[in-house]
């Protein structure tokens, strides 16, 4: 009973930031999600060796696993609320810089501790530091791959399903499956990188299944109560490669030129009354043609009569 209570409390703590960000503006949302993701990434590395929750004699829930599950959960919120490719690219770049910083930090700590002039007060094993920075590199590669896989499946699957509830279930299931896949790949990768280590694949599957269902339920609730977010995500028709690499300068220049051409075309369209020939201004007022041109082109008019109008006036005077 105590184990279930602890797990529920952890789910609540890790879920609150993702939902809380929704009440703020877009710019603040992005900042909050980035900060939350950065903190979760650091907690994943810290809690990975800090604590375990024993749920039975054979299985335990690693503290790093629940932090990582929350990390992927928050990333899903970020995708669905801010679907622009630039947001995803910045997320990957941020995690790369953060990972690089932590790897260098752990490597430097290992280096100075291994020297004779430094006293290891906390008696931190050098093997622990080596495990930390190598596993961090592997975690970043795995996280980036899972992020792009999530995005790819979301982009391909969501538009094909019209029923909202079924679509929400599919999105939730994709998250759970990716998380279980991580529960398989991470132990296998660590066991390969460190011959002396043994991480149980079965324990990883059980742990990620529990966390996947817990956080997946929150994703389903989010999609149910905020259906417009999913519509906005699918409405962004962007080539998937732009989530990996920024658009080339030539493409941006062409897009800017096309936008400028459209603006110029709209400016060249002059609304004119088909009966009285008055011209509508940008403020919505109807003016004589000469008044409009005087304002917009700095022209002066000299009024006269064309031959046809002169003939009509002569005819009218003769009739009178």
């Amino acid at each position: 009973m105590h184990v279930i209570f602890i797990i529920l409390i952890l789910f609540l703590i890790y879920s609150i930031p993702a939902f809380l960000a929704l009440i703020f503006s877009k710019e603040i949302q992005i900042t909050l999600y980035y900060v939350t993701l950065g903190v979760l990434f650091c907690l994943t590395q810290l809690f990975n060796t800090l604590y375990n929750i024993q749920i039975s004699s054979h299985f335990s829930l690693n503290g790093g696993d629940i932090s990582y599950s929350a990390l992927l959960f928050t990333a899903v919120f970020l995708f669905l609320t801010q679907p622009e490719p630039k947001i995803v690219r910045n997320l990957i770049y941020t995690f790369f810089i953060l990972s690089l910083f932590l790897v260098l930090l752990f490597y430097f700590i290992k280096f100075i501790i291994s020297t004779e002039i430094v006293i290891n007060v906390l008696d931190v094993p050098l093997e622990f530091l080596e495990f930390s920075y190598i596993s961090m590199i592997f975690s970043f590669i795995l996280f980036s791959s899972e992020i792009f896989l999530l995005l790819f499946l979301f982009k391909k699957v969501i538009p094909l399903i019209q029923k909202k509830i079924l679509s929400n279930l599919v999105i939730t299931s994709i998250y759970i499956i990716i998380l279980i896949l991580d529960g398989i790949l991470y132990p296998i990768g660590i066991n390969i990188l460190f011959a002396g280590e043994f991480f149980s694949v079965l324990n990883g599957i059980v742990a990620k299944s529990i966390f996947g269902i817990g956080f997946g339920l929150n994703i389903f609730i989010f999609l149910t109560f905020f259906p417009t977010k999913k519509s906005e995500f699918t409405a962004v028709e962007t080539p998937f490669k732009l989530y990996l690499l920024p658009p080339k300068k030539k493409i941006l220049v062409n897009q800017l030129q096309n936008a400028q051409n459209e603006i110029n075309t709209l400016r060249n369209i002059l609304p004119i009354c088909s009966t009285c020939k008055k011209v509508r201004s940008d403020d919505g007022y109807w003016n004589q043609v000469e008044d409009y041109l005087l304002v917009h082109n700095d022209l002066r008019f000299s009024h006269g009569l064309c031959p046809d109008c002169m003939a009509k006036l002569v005819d009218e005077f003769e009739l009178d």
Side-chain angles (χ1 to χ4, degrees):
M1 186 64 184
H2 293 294
V3 172
I4 297 175
F5 178 74
I6 292 172
I7 294 173
L8 290 176
I9 291 297
L10 288 172
F11 277 137
L12 181 63
I13 293 172
Y14 282 120
S15 300
I16 286 177
F19 283 99
L20 188 63
L22 296 173
I23 66 176
F24 296 98
S25 63
K26 179 180 178 180
E27 291 75 15
I28 298 178
Q29 274 187 33
I30 295 173
T31 302
L32 288 175
Y33 281 132
Y34 280 160
V35 171
T36 303
L37 288 165
V39 171
L40 288 173
F41 184 77
C42 295
L43 291 179
T44 299
Q45 312 308 319
L46 177 63
F47 292 163
N48 198 34
T49 53
L50 191 61
Y51 75 92
N52 288 302
I53 301 174
Q54 200 71 32
I55 57 175
S56 71
S57 57
H58 297 93
F59 299 109
S60 63
L61 303 179
N62 182 264
D65 284 343
I66 188 168
S67 298
Y68 185 83
S69 303
L71 176 69
L72 213 59
F73 160 75
T74 308
V76 171
F77 264 66
L78 179 64
F79 301 155
L80 295 176
T81 56
Q82 314 294 337
E84 296 85 356
K86 182 180 179 181
I87 303 297
V88 180
R89 290 198 307 269
N90 289 342
L91 173 64
I92 300 300
Y93 297 158
T94 302
F95 273 71
F96 173 76
I97 295 172
L98 186 60
S99 299
L100 184 62
F101 169 75
L102 292 175
V103 166
L104 293 175
L105 178 64
F106 278 109
Y107 184 82
F108 179 71
I109 293 174
K110 179 195 173 186
F111 173 75
I112 62 173
I113 288 180
S114 62
T115 60
E116 296 180 356
I117 60 174
V118 176
I119 300 175
N120 189 354
V121 179
L122 298 177
D123 198 24
V124 179
L126 296 180
E127 294 78 10
F128 167 77
L129 295 172
E130 183 179 359
F131 173 83
S132 296
Y133 68 76
I134 293 179
S135 65
M136 201 171 300
I137 297 173
F138 180 63
S139 295
F140 170 74
I141 296 172
L142 200 58
F143 172 75
S144 302
S145 303
E146 290 168 359
I147 287 296
F148 289 126
L149 183 58
L150 271 171
L151 267 173
F152 178 78
L153 292 175
F154 283 174
K155 283 288 184 182
K156 293 295 182 181
V157 174
I158 295 177
L160 300 177
I161 305 173
Q162 301 300 323
K163 294 184 178 180
K164 293 182 179 180
I165 295 180
L166 181 59
S167 177
N168 297 346
L169 284 172
V170 169
I171 294 173
T172 304
S173 300
I174 290 174
Y175 165 78
I176 295 173
I177 291 171
I178 296 295
L179 207 54
I180 293 174
L181 182 64
D182 178 85
I184 298 172
L185 295 178
Y186 184 78
I188 292 176
I190 293 298
N191 291 337
I192 293 173
L193 291 172
F194 300 94
E197 297 289 338
F198 178 73
F199 279 61
S200 171
V201 175
L202 182 59
N203 191 86
I205 294 173
V206 172
K208 293 298 171 66
S209 297
I210 293 173
F211 299 144
I213 293 172
F215 287 114
L217 179 61
N218 287 331
I219 293 175
F220 184 82
I221 292 172
F222 164 71
L223 293 171
T224 302
F225 287 95
F226 297 91
T228 56
K229 298 298 183 182
K230 184 173 60 178
S231 303
E232 293 171 1
F233 175 81
T234 55
V236 178
E237 298 179 0
T238 306
F240 188 76
K241 64 180 181 181
L242 293 182
Y243 288 100
L244 303 171
L245 298 170
K248 296 180 179 179
K249 183 178 179 181
K250 184 177 179 181
I251 296 176
L252 293 175
V253 171
N254 290 337
Q255 290 176 347
L256 181 61
Q257 186 61 49
N258 292 335
Q260 186 63 47
N261 291 338
E262 290 180 5
I263 292 173
N264 292 336
T265 300
L266 292 173
R267 284 178 177 173
N268 291 332
I269 297 176
L270 191 62
I272 187 170
C273 177
S274 57
T275 302
C276 68
K277 306 305 179 186
K278 287 184 178 181
V279 177
R280 190 184 69 199
S281 66
D282 295 335
D283 298 327
Y285 296 104
W286 291 89
N287 304 308
Q288 296 292 341
V289 174
E290 55 267 31
D291 294 335
Y292 180 87
L293 294 177
L294 183 63
V295 172
H296 289 79
N297 293 285
D298 196 22
L299 298 175
R300 293 180 179 274
F301 289 89
S302 174
H303 291 87
L305 291 173
C306 69
D308 292 337
C309 292
M310 178 65 77
K312 289 180 181 179
L313 285 174
V314 171
D315 291 340
E316 290 179 1
F317 280 118
E318 289 179 350
L319 289 174
D320 293 339

